[in-house]
Amino acid sequence: SFNNSVLDQKLIRENPTLVEKKLSRRGKTFELTNLHKLTLKIKDADFELSNLQSESKKLSKSIGEIYQKNNDSDPVNFNKMKDHANHLKASISNLEIKKRDLNKEILNELLKLPNFPSDNSPSGNDESQNVEIKKWGNPTIGSNQKSHWEIGENLNLFDSKRSSKISKSRFITLIGEGARLERALINFMLDTHFKKGYLELIPPALVNSDSLQGSGQLPKFSNESFKCSDDDLWLSPTAEVPLTAFHKDEIIDINKLPLKYVAYSPCFRREAGSYGKDTKGLIRLHQFNKVELYWFSNPKDSFEAHKKLTSDAEDILKKLDLPYRVIDICSGDLGFSSSRTFDLEVWLPSSKMYREISSCSNCLDFQARRSSIRTKIDKKNLFLHTLNGSGLAIGRTMAAILENGQQKDGSVKIPDALIPYFGSSLIKSN
């Protein structure tokens, strides 16, 4: 179906207006005239090239036959044939160069285009038009609810002042029971997902440009990531990047699908453009830990896989007894690589609002096409579908536990499911 077909040249060549219309649901105008022209040019070049190649082949054959018979009774004509053959070779070589340049130009243009929003995504221009699907749990509503950073400072769980001495602002050092709580959460999440059949990976924290391009972070979001200036390496903004690249250029046996991975990784983001927002606490840091869920799915199953992946992430919030809601992200607020996204937002009593803790996305064949990851269906190589979601972001989960578990005496109650990992049921104030 059309929905499975992410931007390929053929589609843009044959139906540019349909592509523009699909993309315009993102609330922006996409102008494909130039790209459309390029796709027509390369088709013409292809046609011309195959004609020249077949003419050249025939001519070579004739020249070969004359040679074999030692029959150059007409040397003038023979030399003309040889000249023409050389001329053809030069034309072919020039055309191949032209095609290579055109291909590069087309790829550069294609890489800037986001995924098509799913027809099932609600229409809208920005986050105000996202749709709440459901709520779970009972949000604590009361006055003098302390913020997680006040609780953290009172209980000496983390230190941001000294951390800005070590690095700069928006880094944090976890201390004592804060560090232990982070470790407990990582292990609890990994174990929970492992029991559901996810294979655990710990991928590299540094990724190359190809990997970022494959998952959709480059070229568009280069200002969002930290780059190592001496190497073609970047600090990974999310485990989604190395996990997509894990099967780059592979053909995966259809009987092995879905492949379900869970990965713990540190994540690094420049948070460009978010100055002044969430400057305190654990919500918007340059470095944070995350447990990521990632699926490689048979294209026909990705709709169901998306629901399953989302419910696996929700399950962590339920087990930790943290009130949350599920949001269907509207077409204009979707991430670049995503076709449909469900956000999980956890309740933070101090701000009396829900805050994002996981984005669960179905990218259809968008990342698989950019990373050349395929499967064989009816003897044909087809791009498979990729899905990803946080299961969960650790710092935000800790923030939610501190705020939702705060007691009158300043201590924090640890969720029952986490006690075996954390080692006690309470973080006491000294």
Side-chain angles (χ1 to χ4, degrees):
S1 76
F2 179 78
N3 235 12
N4 290 348
S5 186
V6 174
L7 304 169
D8 61 352
Q9 283 186 42
K10 188 166 177 270
L11 196 57
I12 287 165
R13 190 175 65 242
E14 291 171 3
N15 210 333
T17 39
L18 183 61
V19 174
E20 283 176 347
K21 190 173 157 229
K22 277 271 184 192
L23 288 174
S24 72
R25 285 196 67 222
R26 286 182 169 268
K28 286 202 288 283
T29 312
F30 288 85
E31 175 53 71
L32 299 183
T33 321
N34 182 42
L35 182 54
H36 182 235
K37 270 193 199 129
L38 291 170
T39 60
L40 292 173
K41 265 189 191 165
I42 202 158
K43 193 170 188 208
D44 292 345
D46 266 336
F47 183 68
E48 201 185 330
L49 187 62
S50 83
N51 283 344
L52 288 176
Q53 283 167 335
S54 99
E55 194 187 336
S56 170
K57 214 169 161 184
K58 278 183 194 144
L59 191 57
S60 296
K61 201 175 167 198
S62 307
I63 291 171
E65 282 165 0
I66 292 171
Y67 259 132
Q68 266 179 334
K69 291 177 185 159
N70 286 328
N71 174 10
D72 53 355
S73 54
D74 186 352
V76 177
N77 186 37
F78 185 61
N79 286 335
K80 263 192 191 157
M81 282 169 83
K82 278 187 6 192
D83 286 347
H84 188 45
N86 290 334
H87 176 69
L88 280 175
K89 278 201 181 84
S91 301
I92 286 168
S93 164
N94 288 337
L95 253 183
E96 281 170 341
I97 291 166
K98 183 182 166 186
K99 247 190 79 175
R100 214 169 37 239
D101 292 346
L102 275 172
N103 265 325
K104 217 185 242 163
E105 249 186 290
I106 288 171
L107 183 64
N108 285 341
E109 292 284 314
L110 280 175
L111 287 172
K112 292 176 196 157
L113 295 177
N115 202 345
F116 293 134
S118 157
D119 294 339
N120 298 317
S121 288
S123 291
N125 291 328
D126 56 39
E127 60 182 40
S128 67
Q129 288 161 296
N130 292 339
V131 176
E132 185 183 292
I133 300 176
K134 70 168 189 187
K135 278 195 171 105
W136 184 92
N138 303 308
T140 322
I141 297 168
S143 48
N144 25 339
Q145 295 284 328
K146 285 196 169 67
S147 63
H148 71 272
W149 60 87
E150 292 170 285
I151 300 166
E153 274 166 25
N154 294 343
L155 296 173
N156 193 27
L157 302 180
F158 45 76
D159 190 315
S160 54
K161 282 197 188 73
R162 289 189 178 114
S163 303
S164 62
K165 233 177 10 183
I166 303 170
S167 326
K168 61 177 187 176
S169 64
R170 299 210 173 178
F171 284 89
I172 210 141
T173 302
L174 297 166
I175 300 165
E177 290 182 303
R180 205 163 93 228
L181 182 54
E182 181 100 352
R183 189 158 46 92
L185 281 166
I186 293 166
N187 284 331
F188 162 69
M189 289 178 195
L190 288 172
D191 284 354
T192 305
H193 296 309
F194 170 74
K195 284 174 194 149
K196 291 189 169 170
Y198 285 83
L199 180 66
E200 188 179 331
L201 302 182
I202 296 184
L206 287 166
V207 294
N208 60 29
S209 296
D210 271 359
S211 301
L212 283 160
Q213 184 178 293
S215 53
Q217 272 77 6
L218 284 183
K220 189 168 161 54
F221 301 105
S222 57
N223 64 333
E224 284 288 342
S225 296
F226 293 104
K227 189 174 196 320
C228 308
S229 54
D230 291 347
D231 310 88
D232 175 34
L233 288 172
W234 306 67
L235 286 168
S236 175
T238 160
E240 176 193 338
V241 175
L243 294 183
T244 308
F246 190 61
H247 288 294
K248 186 176 171 345
D249 300 324
E250 288 183 27
I251 297 171
I252 298 171
D253 178 353
I254 193 134
N255 300 313
K256 295 201 168 125
L257 297 176
L259 291 177
K260 294 161 48 177
Y261 293 120
V262 59
Y264 153 71
S265 81
C267 306
F268 304 87
R269 295 187 188 171
R270 292 181 61 181
E271 291 295 348
S274 69
Y275 297 105
K277 283 188 210 155
D278 302 312
T279 48
K280 291 179 168 166
L282 302 166
I283 298 292
R284 207 182 285 274
L285 296 169
H286 288 308
Q287 177 186 340
F288 59 96
N289 290 314
K290 187 152 67 85
V291 167
E292 182 78 0
L293 304 176
Y294 199 99
W295 288 46
F296 292 90
S297 152
N298 184 324
K300 72 176 173 56
D301 301 332
S302 72
F303 184 72
E304 283 307 313
H306 191 201
K307 288 188 202 162
K308 184 76 187 79
L309 178 136
T310 307
S311 84
D312 288 343
E314 283 180 66
D315 201 36
I316 298 290
L317 291 164
K318 287 178 178 159
K319 282 185 158 64
L320 295 173
D321 202 22
L322 294 170
Y324 70 93
R325 63 177 186 167
V326 184
I327 302 289
D328 198 350
I329 300 296
C330 76
S331 56
D333 193 33
L334 280 171
F336 183 80
S337 302
S338 175
S339 175
R340 178 111 192 257
T341 296
F342 300 128
D343 268 10
L344 307 185
E345 297 184 343
V346 71
W347 178 253
L348 290 181
S350 73
S351 47
K352 299 187 171 49
M353 67 188 285
Y354 290 94
R355 292 298 302 264
E356 183 205 324
I357 196 165
S358 170
S359 263
C360 299
S361 299
N362 186 354
C363 298
L364 301 179
D365 65 357
F366 185 81
Q367 294 177 324
R369 186 181 290 278
R370 289 169 77 110
S371 307
S372 184
I373 308 166
R374 291 160 300 167
T375 188
K376 252 193 182 48
I377 299 175
D378 302 329
K379 298 189 179 156
K380 264 212 210 100
N381 285 341
L382 292 177
F383 293 109
L384 42 72
H385 284 189
T386 62
L387 304 98
N388 66 78
S390 310
L392 304 161
I394 311 290
R396 292 183 177 209
T397 310
M398 192 192 294
I401 286 173
L402 297 179
E403 290 202 11
N404 287 284
Q406 59 183 300
Q407 307 296 304
K408 294 263 189 302
D409 64 357
S411 63
V412 172
K413 188 181 172 307
I414 296 295
D416 292 348
L418 206 57
I419 296 170
Y421 290 87
F422 182 67
S424 70
S425 58
L426 216 60
I427 300 179
K428 292 191 187 74
S429 51
N430 304 327

